[in-house]
């Protein structure tokens, strides 16, 4: 969202951007091996970073790609191929559309209430809350955090109205921010609709020729997710300790009555999106079935972009009551295009910085190698985990994902470090934002609406961040070394 600016502050921001660019492009000498064109790229990146933080994420991303094309560091064709021509652009657009149609048909709400209104929950407040958060994290595995937060916060408000809880109550405060924590946390555990993870898969394929499948990543990190969820329940139950007694009076039957019988539209979305998920995640399992190996190979060849594109087209073709299942014009109006534009800029960063004609990555590794080379592989991994997780709790997840361009080249300078494992720790870690409202679009929903104090979010979000750091180092890192051995 674009920040509101007074005319004076706007001109100050624009002047800073121009000065930063001019200094790097024309004044500051380029330290070898950074080239003159590379210094221009650094100036453009720093100016864009300032705009992302202070002004907006959309048009500055367009500016970044356009101006880099004028530096001569790479041909415009190659720059567009690595930015707008990247498969992650249609992937992200189609993921937004599929998430929208799931919510519009009521399928997402039905899934959520199925957990909350189960008969075994009746009169058991702790069970109700645990099942509520379980529904959030499970839905978050296949959807974006912003959409999940909006839906589940509305359901939570219904539950509070039924049981007499008010804004300011500890349970209300913990639940509303807990929705965000579970939805955002889940975005680190699968690549499904979570574009930053497959974007790093693309980088790994380009840099190392290694294909990381959706099934491999999900199988490994869902185990981390289980530990993450159990840790949250311990924090919620024994550290935050909200009073949940009134939740025993929740009228489960009344809540369930708000749902109509499952519609044709819901069934259609469930089948179509389910097939997309199967295509992404299970070709390896399907290939084990006698006679289906060619099918599995074909499914794997489709990559990240083709399945959701076909799914969206099919939903546009299917009509009920003379209306398309997916109204693409309406969806296009609702897509947060600023995020799409920013993704194009970030996707090109690793490529541009790594070029010999730029020299930025070579300079970073040359400068840091003497320090980093003295570290053990495990210590290097721990530093990366802490660095990525702290950064992503302070600023944009998408921006932090671009640290791949810095971290992975450094990994290659440390003897014994597995760069594939490090890259995947960046992929998961850049999604693990909990503490500050500035960390990602969904992070400010609870505090911005007055449900949760920012101080509460910072205090317990930091605790959750520490737990996540421990899990990445103790659980994820050893498994990544086993799953993705690297000979160098």
């Amino acid at each position: 969202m674009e920040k509101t600016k007074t005319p004076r502050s706007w001109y100050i921001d624009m002047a800073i951007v121009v000065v930063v660019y001019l200094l790097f492009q024309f004044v500051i000498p380029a330290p070898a091996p950074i080239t003159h064109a590379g210094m221009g790229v650094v100036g453009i990146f720093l100016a864009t970073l300032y705009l992302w933080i202070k002004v907006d994420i959309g048009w500055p991303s367009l500016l970044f790609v356009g101006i880099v094309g004028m530096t001569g560091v790479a041909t415009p064709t190659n720059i567009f191929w690595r930015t707008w021509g990247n498969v992650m652009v249609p992937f992200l657009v189609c993921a937004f559309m599929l998430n929208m149609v799931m919510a519009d048909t009521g399928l997402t709400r039905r899934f959520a209430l199925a957990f909350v209104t189960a008969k075994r929950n009746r009169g058991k407040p702790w069970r109700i809350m645990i099942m509520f958060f379980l529904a959030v994290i499970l839905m978050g595995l296949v959807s974006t955090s912003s959409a999940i937060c909006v839906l589940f916060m509305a359901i939570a408000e219904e539950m509070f109205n039924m049981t007499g809880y008010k804004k300011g109550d500890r349970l209300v405060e913990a639940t509303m921010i807990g929705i965000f924590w579970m939805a955002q946390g889940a975005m680190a555990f699968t690549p499904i609709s979570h574009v930053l993870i497959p974007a790093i898969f693309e980088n790994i394929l380009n840099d190392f020729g290694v294909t990381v499948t959706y099934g491999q990543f999900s199988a490994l990190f869902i185990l981390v997710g289980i530990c993450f969820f159990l840790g949250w329940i311990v924090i919620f139950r024994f550290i935050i300790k909200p009073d949940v007694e009134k939740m025993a009076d929740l009228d489960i039957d009344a809540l369930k009555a708000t749902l109509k019988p499952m519609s044709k539209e819901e069934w259609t979305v469930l089948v179509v999106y389910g097939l997309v998920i199967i295509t992404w995640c299970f070709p390896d399992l399907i290939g084990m079935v006698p006679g289906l190996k060619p099918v599995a190979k074909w499914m794997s060849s489709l990559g990240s972009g083709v399945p959701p594109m076909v799914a969206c087209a099919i939903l546009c073709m299917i009509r009920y009551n003379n209306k398309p299942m997916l109204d693409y014009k309406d969806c296009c109006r609702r897509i947060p295009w600023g995020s799409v534009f920013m993704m194009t800029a970030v996707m090109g960063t690793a490529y541009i910085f790594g070029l010999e004609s730029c020299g930025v990555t070579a300079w970073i590794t040359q400068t840091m190698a003497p320090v980093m080379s003295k570290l053990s592989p495990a210590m290097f991994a721990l530093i990366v985990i802490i660095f990525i997780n702290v950064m992503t709790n302070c600023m944009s997840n998408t921006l932090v994902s671009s640290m791949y361009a810095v971290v992975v080249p450094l990994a290659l300078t440390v003897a014994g470090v597995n760069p594939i494992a490090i890259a995947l720790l960046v992929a998961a870690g850049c999604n693990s934002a909990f503490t500050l409202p500035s960390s990602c679009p969904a992070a400010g929903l609870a505090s911005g609406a007055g449900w949760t104090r920012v101080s509460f979010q910072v205090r317990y979000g930091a605790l959750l961040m520490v737990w996540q750091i421990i899990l990445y180092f103790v659980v994820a890192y050893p498994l990544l070394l086993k799953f993705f051995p690297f000979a160098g």
Side-chain angles (χ1 to χ4, degrees):
M1 180 181 294
E2 186 170 350
K3 284 78 173 174
T4 302
K5 289 282 183 181
T6 64
R8 184 172 181 273
S9 64
W10 174 267
Y11 287 118
I12 290 173
D13 286 337
M14 296 307 105
I16 290 172
V17 166
V18 171
V19 168
V20 167
Y21 168 67
L22 293 176
L23 280 174
F24 279 84
Q25 182 68 76
F26 299 110
V27 179
I28 302 175
I34 298 180
T35 64
H36 177 71
M39 285 297 284
V41 170
V42 172
I44 295 164
F45 178 75
L46 293 176
T48 305
L49 178 60
Y50 179 85
L51 290 172
W52 279 339
I53 295 170
K54 291 278 289 180
V55 180
D56 192 16
I57 63 172
W59 68 263
S61 300
L62 296 176
L63 181 69
F64 174 80
V65 176
I67 299 297
V68 166
M70 297 173 64
T71 63
V73 74
T75 66
T77 299
N78 285 338
I79 289 173
F80 282 114
W81 171 51
R82 290 297 189 129
T83 55
W84 282 95
N86 194 284
V87 68
M88 289 300 106
V89 177
F91 173 92
L92 181 57
V93 171
C94 292
F96 278 135
M97 288 186 173
L98 290 172
N99 279 231
M100 288 174 191
V101 76
M102 285 175 62
D104 292 345
T105 58
L107 182 62
T108 310
R109 176 181 169 83
R110 184 178 301 278
F111 178 88
L113 291 185
F115 282 79
V116 175
T117 61
K119 288 183 179 180
R120 62 182 178 275
N121 295 343
R122 196 183 305 274
K124 298 176 180 177
W126 283 112
R127 184 188 290 268
I128 289 171
M129 296 309 303
I130 290 172
M131 294 303 289
F132 178 83
F133 288 122
L134 180 60
V136 178
I137 197 168
L138 289 177
M139 183 54 69
L141 294 175
V142 298
S143 187
T144 57
S145 60
S146 296
I148 296 302
C149 287
V150 170
L151 174 80
F152 276 86
M153 287 173 72
I155 294 173
E157 190 170 1
E158 287 183 63
M159 294 167 62
F160 297 144
N161 289 337
M162 286 182 174
T163 51
Y165 285 100
K166 307 288 185 185
K167 271 188 179 182
D169 290 343
R170 196 166 181 81
L171 177 63
V172 173
E173 190 168 33
T175 299
M176 289 305 199
I177 196 61
I179 291 169
F180 161 65
W181 287 335
M182 293 302 99
Q184 187 62 36
M187 290 188 67
F189 307 139
T190 75
I192 303 169
S193 286
H194 308 148
V195 69
L196 300 182
I197 296 173
I200 287 182
F201 291 177
E202 289 290 311
N203 287 336
I204 292 171
L205 181 60
N206 291 330
D207 293 341
F208 302 102
V210 174
T211 298
V212 181
T213 69
Y214 280 50
Q216 288 172 325
F217 185 92
S218 299
L220 192 157
F221 277 95
I222 284 176
L223 177 60
V224 178
I226 292 170
C227 299
F228 172 79
F229 180 73
L230 294 175
W232 159 243
I233 295 303
V234 170
I235 292 170
F236 180 71
R237 175 68 178 85
F238 298 106
I239 298 178
I240 298 177
K241 296 190 290 189
D243 178 7
V244 301
E245 291 307 311
K246 288 190 287 186
M247 196 56 69
D249 300 327
L250 180 68
D251 192 337
I252 285 177
D253 294 328
L255 203 56
K256 188 181 294 187
T258 63
L259 289 175
K260 297 178 181 178
M262 194 160 175
S263 65
K264 293 179 291 186
E265 290 86 348
E266 289 175 87
W267 278 112
T268 303
V269 175
L270 181 62
V271 171
V272 172
Y273 195 28
L275 289 173
V276 172
I277 293 173
I278 290 170
T279 304
W280 275 335
C281 296
F282 301 111
D284 293 341
L285 290 178
I286 291 171
M288 296 178 184
V289 179
L292 293 184
K293 201 162 189 176
V295 176
K297 186 176 180 181
W298 171 76
M299 291 168 65
S300 296
S301 71
L302 297 177
S304 297
V306 171
M309 290 174 72
V310 173
C312 287
I314 289 172
L315 291 174
C316 288
M317 294 167 64
I318 298 173
R319 301 176 74 92
Y320 293 115
N321 300 319
N322 205 31
K323 293 182 179 180
M325 277 289 304
L326 192 158
D327 185 339
Y328 81 94
K329 290 182 180 179
D330 177 61
C331 286
C332 285
R333 283 191 289 267
R334 295 156 58 192
I335 287 172
W337 287 104
S339 298
V340 179
F341 296 164
M342 187 178 186
M343 175 53 63
T344 65
V346 170
M347 281 300 301
T349 303
Y351 165 70
I352 295 164
F353 280 8
L355 293 171
E356 286 187 20
S357 56
C358 182
V360 171
T361 298
W363 179 81
I364 292 172
T365 54
Q366 179 179 292
T367 304
M368 298 296 294
V371 176
M372 293 297 177
S373 61
K374 298 176 183 178
L375 299 174
S376 68
M379 182 57 65
F380 180 85
L382 179 60
I383 290 172
V384 168
I385 291 168
I386 294 172
F387 171 69
I388 293 295
N389 280 265
V390 171
M391 277 193 68
T392 203
N393 274 273
C394 300
M395 61 181 68
S396 164
N397 302 156
T398 307
L399 180 58
V400 174
S401 72
S402 70
M403 290 298 105
Y404 172 97
V406 175
V407 169
V408 171
L410 281 176
L412 294 171
T413 68
V414 182
V417 169
N418 183 326
I420 310 297
I422 296 300
L424 294 175
L425 288 170
V426 173
C430 69
N431 286 290
S432 302
F434 309 113
T435 58
L436 294 177
S438 61
S439 59
C440 67
L445 290 176
S447 55
W451 293 108
T452 303
R453 292 167 294 161
V454 173
S455 60
F456 186 96
Q457 179 176 351
V458 171
R459 183 184 313 122
Y460 295 106
L463 187 60
L464 204 59
M465 179 189 71
V466 171
W467 174 236
Q468 187 75 309
I469 288 172
I470 293 170
L471 291 177
Y472 283 146
F473 185 65
V474 174
V475 179
Y477 178 59
L479 289 175
L480 286 169
L481 295 179
K482 186 175 181 63
F483 270 62
F484 300 99
F486 182 77

